[in-house]
Amino acid sequence: MQQRISIVTQCSLSRNSRILELVAIAAERFKTRVTNLLRGITAVIVLIMKFWLMVKFDPEAKRWSAVFPELPGCATAGDTEAEAIANAHEALALWFEPAPIKLPKGAKMIELAVL
């Protein structure tokens, strides 16, 4: 069984020269928290990404597994199919959570986005 799960991010934008930068940040981090960072709402942008979720019953474990084949290491399980799918939503959100990165001396972090 294959099912699509969507991430929806809303980004409120004010009219200034940072619009493209803010959209890039929202697109990369997939955070609804961006809405709270921006004031003076003039537009709402909804970014939707869809991923395949493979749900399968494991007769040995007597549990349902849920795996996102496109996202390495993004998997979960549940006692029922519905629980596995619900857990998959949380696993997907956690997979996109930014991790702290320790940079070597002389290195810098640059954000890029595909528009």
Side-chain angles (χ1 to χ4, degrees), residues 1 3 10 28 48 52 57 61 67 81 95:
M1 171 189 203
Q3 179 175 342
Q10 293 185 350
E28 282 194 334
I48 299 175
W52 286 109
F57 183 73
V67 177
E81 181 180 6
W95 197 88

Short mmCIF file of all heavy atoms in Angstrom, two decimals, residues 1 3 10 28 48 52 57 61 67 81 95:
data_model
loop_
_atom_site.label_atom_id
_atom_site.label_comp_id
_atom_site.label_asym_id
_atom_site.label_seq_id
_atom_site.Cartn_x
_atom_site.Cartn_y
_atom_site.Cartn_z
N MET A 1 0.85 -1.18 0.00
CA MET A 1 0.00 0.00 0.00
C MET A 1 0.89 1.24 0.00
O MET A 1 1.79 1.37 0.82
CB MET A 1 -0.88 -0.01 1.24
CG MET A 1 -1.64 1.26 1.44
SD MET A 1 -2.44 1.26 3.04
CE MET A 1 -3.70 2.42 2.72
N GLN A 3 0.92 5.51 0.04
CA GLN A 3 0.09 6.66 0.37
C GLN A 3 0.96 7.89 0.36
O GLN A 3 2.12 7.85 0.75
CB GLN A 3 -0.53 6.47 1.75
CG GLN A 3 -1.38 7.62 2.20
CD GLN A 3 -2.08 7.33 3.52
OE1 GLN A 3 -2.18 6.20 3.93
NE2 GLN A 3 -2.54 8.36 4.17
N GLN A 10 3.10 27.48 5.91
CA GLN A 10 2.56 28.79 5.57
C GLN A 10 3.58 29.83 5.97
O GLN A 10 4.15 29.76 7.05
CB GLN A 10 1.25 29.05 6.30
CG GLN A 10 0.14 28.13 5.83
CD GLN A 10 -1.17 28.48 6.47
OE1 GLN A 10 -1.23 29.27 7.38
NE2 GLN A 10 -2.23 27.89 5.97
N GLU A 28 13.32 25.64 2.89
CA GLU A 28 14.32 24.68 3.35
C GLU A 28 13.96 24.07 4.70
O GLU A 28 14.21 22.92 4.95
CB GLU A 28 15.69 25.34 3.43
CG GLU A 28 16.33 25.48 2.08
CD GLU A 28 17.80 25.80 2.19
OE1 GLU A 28 18.22 26.37 3.19
OE2 GLU A 28 18.52 25.44 1.26
N ILE A 48 3.97 22.79 -0.54
CA ILE A 48 3.53 21.42 -0.31
C ILE A 48 4.56 20.47 -0.90
O ILE A 48 4.91 20.59 -2.07
CB ILE A 48 2.15 21.15 -0.94
CG1 ILE A 48 1.11 22.06 -0.32
CG2 ILE A 48 1.77 19.68 -0.75
CD1 ILE A 48 -0.26 21.94 -0.96
N TRP A 52 6.20 9.47 -0.71
CA TRP A 52 5.58 8.16 -0.67
C TRP A 52 5.84 7.53 0.70
O TRP A 52 6.94 7.62 1.24
CB TRP A 52 6.16 7.24 -1.75
CG TRP A 52 5.67 7.58 -3.11
CD1 TRP A 52 6.40 8.15 -4.12
CD2 TRP A 52 4.37 7.37 -3.64
NE1 TRP A 52 5.62 8.32 -5.22
CE2 TRP A 52 4.36 7.85 -4.96
CE3 TRP A 52 3.19 6.85 -3.12
CZ2 TRP A 52 3.23 7.80 -5.77
CZ3 TRP A 52 2.07 6.80 -3.93
CH2 TRP A 52 2.10 7.29 -5.23
N PHE A 57 2.51 -4.78 6.93
CA PHE A 57 2.37 -5.56 8.16
C PHE A 57 3.51 -6.56 8.24
O PHE A 57 3.80 -7.28 7.28
CB PHE A 57 1.02 -6.29 8.19
CG PHE A 57 0.81 -7.04 9.47
CD1 PHE A 57 0.54 -6.37 10.66
CD2 PHE A 57 0.91 -8.42 9.50
CE1 PHE A 57 0.36 -7.05 11.84
CE2 PHE A 57 0.72 -9.12 10.68
CZ PHE A 57 0.45 -8.43 11.86
N ALA A 61 6.87 -9.57 13.79
CA ALA A 61 6.77 -8.60 14.88
C ALA A 61 5.32 -8.33 15.27
O ALA A 61 5.05 -7.75 16.31
CB ALA A 61 7.44 -7.29 14.47
N VAL A 67 7.60 3.30 6.20
CA VAL A 67 8.92 3.73 5.74
C VAL A 67 8.75 4.73 4.60
O VAL A 67 7.95 4.51 3.68
CB VAL A 67 9.74 2.52 5.23
CG1 VAL A 67 11.09 2.97 4.69
CG2 VAL A 67 9.91 1.50 6.34
N GLU A 81 -2.34 -0.21 11.46
CA GLU A 81 -1.97 0.55 10.27
C GLU A 81 -2.17 2.05 10.52
O GLU A 81 -1.32 2.87 10.18
CB GLU A 81 -2.80 0.10 9.06
CG GLU A 81 -2.46 0.83 7.78
CD GLU A 81 -3.28 0.37 6.59
OE1 GLU A 81 -4.22 -0.45 6.77
OE2 GLU A 81 -2.99 0.83 5.48
N TRP A 95 12.33 14.31 10.89
CA TRP A 95 13.37 14.13 9.89
C TRP A 95 13.82 15.47 9.32
O TRP A 95 14.99 15.68 9.01
CB TRP A 95 12.87 13.22 8.75
CG TRP A 95 13.96 12.66 7.90
CD1 TRP A 95 14.65 11.50 8.11
CD2 TRP A 95 14.48 13.22 6.69
NE1 TRP A 95 15.56 11.31 7.12
CE2 TRP A 95 15.47 12.35 6.22
CE3 TRP A 95 14.20 14.36 5.95
CZ2 TRP A 95 16.20 12.58 5.06
CZ3 TRP A 95 14.91 14.60 4.80
CH2 TRP A 95 15.90 13.71 4.36
#
